[in-house]
Amino acid sequence: RQTDRQTGRDTETAKSHRKSTERTQLFNCDLRPQTSEWAPMVEWFNRRFRVQLQHSVGISVKEQHPQTLDTVRQHLLQLNAFQTTAVDYCTNTTKSLILTLALMERQVSVARAVQLARLEVRFQTARFGEVEWAHTLEEKDSMVRSAAAALLYRWSRF
């Protein structure tokens, strides 16, 4: 153990307390901004498909009602091969079927879909800093991929 010469405090205890406080701050984050930005997309999805999505907070996963899964499955089965490819490509980019379908049905712009898809990245960079070239490149790449998927989807309807 070491003691701080000026304060006489045990530096190991101070370090431990600081680490504990940092850990608490790291995991006790305010999710309201993310929730409020996502709410309109979830509401649109629920109205569009006449379902009620079960949502979770954090990394836990909630089981969806079988009728919800069947409704979405039936919609996806109606797509042609090009549209299915576009949905797959965009979902891989945005990591969200909700955002992908909203984009394909013109409920959200490419820029907004990517912005919503990157909410967690924005939160993390605001907190820990940005790797300027990497985050910018990733964002632009996501926009290009999402726009390409949306174009393929729309052009293949005719």
Side-chain angles (χ1 to χ4, degrees):
R1 290 198 177 270
Q2 295 179 345
T3 305
D4 185 304
R5 290 181 186 167
Q6 292 179 339
T7 64
R9 289 181 63 197
D10 179 4
T11 57
E12 291 300 316
T13 303
K15 286 181 187 176
S16 175
H17 176 70
R18 186 174 65 242
K19 285 181 182 177
S20 174
T21 302
E22 289 170 357
R23 205 173 295 122
T24 300
Q25 289 172 346
L26 180 64
F27 293 111
N28 289 338
C29 52
D30 184 6
L31 298 174
R32 285 177 294 186
Q34 291 177 326
T35 303
S36 67
E37 289 198 51
W38 260 95
M41 290 292 91
V42 173
E43 290 169 9
W44 169 81
F45 189 90
N46 286 339
R47 278 193 318 274
R48 165 64 178 84
F49 292 100
R50 295 185 185 106
V51 297
Q52 192 62 44
L53 286 175
Q54 302 298 313
H55 65 279
S56 60
V57 176
I59 61 171
S60 64
V61 177
K62 291 220 177 163
E63 295 259 343
Q64 297 299 321
H65 192 278
Q67 184 179 357
T68 298
L69 298 174
D70 190 52
T71 300
V72 174
R73 183 181 301 109
Q74 290 305 315
H75 173 76
L76 295 174
L77 288 172
Q78 293 175 7
L79 302 177
N80 66 41
F82 291 111
Q83 290 172 316
T84 301
T85 300
V87 167
D88 179 58
Y89 193 67
C90 192
T91 302
N92 282 323
T93 301
T94 63
K95 309 297 186 245
S96 169
L97 183 61
I98 295 171
L99 289 177
T100 294
L101 293 176
L103 176 60
M104 299 307 156
E105 297 192 13
R106 299 179 186 214
Q107 297 300 307
V108 66
S109 68
V110 170
R112 182 67 176 151
V114 170
Q115 181 184 34
L116 288 168
R118 295 176 47 81
L119 277 176
E120 180 62 22
V121 173
R122 284 189 2 227
F123 171 79
Q124 295 293 336
T125 56
R127 189 170 194 149
F128 302 111
E130 182 177 34
V131 179
E132 201 168 307
W133 66 270
H135 288 116
T136 303
L137 180 63
E138 180 189 24
E139 179 182 15
K140 301 306 178 194
D141 183 61
S142 294
M143 290 186 87
V144 168
R145 289 173 181 271
S146 297
L151 287 173
L152 176 61
Y153 184 91
R154 291 171 190 160
W155 288 347
S156 67
R157 292 188 331 192
F158 304 106

